[in-house]
């Protein structure tokens, strides 16, 4: 989790995660995203952002299960890599499906 970074507006928080293959499919990443989102909100974060490589449907699924919605595609200025953004308003308590 980062409160500042390339492409982030004031109040946005970048959330990133990764799991070894043997730990995937257990809901751990979704649970971690929910916990870090709650913490970010308590520290003044207004919107959480998850940046997903378009070729990574598993990571996009984690974002959706954690209550994030598609927020468009962004390109990083440094290397031109494109990411699909998923966003979640941290100022409202959004119900989510965790599994």
């Amino acid at each position: 989790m980062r409160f500042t970074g390339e492409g982030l507006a004031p109040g946005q928080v970048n959330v990133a995660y990764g799991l070894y293959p043997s730990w995937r499919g257990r809901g751990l990443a979704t649970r971690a995203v929910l916990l870090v989102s709650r913490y970010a909100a308590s520290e003044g974060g207004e919107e959480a952002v998850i940046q997903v490589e378009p070729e990574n449907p598993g990571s996009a699924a984690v974002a959706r299960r954690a209550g994030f919605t598609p927020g468009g595609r962004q390109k990083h200025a440094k290397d031109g890599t494109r990411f699909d953004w998923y966003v979640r308003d941290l100022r409202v308590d959004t119900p989510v499906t965790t599994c």
Side-chain angles (χ1 to χ4, degrees):
M1 174 186 68
R2 292 180 183 236
F3 284 88
T4 61
E6 182 181 343
L8 292 179
Q12 286 184 320
V13 179
N14 185 66
V15 176
Y17 46 87
L19 288 175
Y20 289 110
S22 62
W23 290 94
R24 295 178 185 156
R26 302 179 191 194
L28 297 172
T30 301
R31 180 70 178 142
V33 168
L34 292 171
L35 289 170
V36 82
S37 294
R38 185 178 299 151
Y39 175 76
S42 75
E43 293 295 313
E46 297 175 4
E47 183 177 60
V49 175
I50 294 176
Q51 302 176 53
V52 177
E53 293 179 344
E55 306 80 29
N56 191 342
S59 190
V62 168
R64 288 190 303 275
R65 281 193 300 270
F68 287 67
T69 57
R73 184 167 284 177
Q74 304 287 330
K75 183 170 75 169
H76 279 240
K78 289 183 181 177
D79 64 7
T81 303
R82 293 189 179 273
F83 290 97
D84 292 332
W85 276 34
Y86 291 83
V87 296
R88 181 173 175 204
D89 190 341
L90 297 176
R91 296 167 295 184
V92 298
D93 189 20
T94 307
V96 295
T97 303
T98 57
C99 293

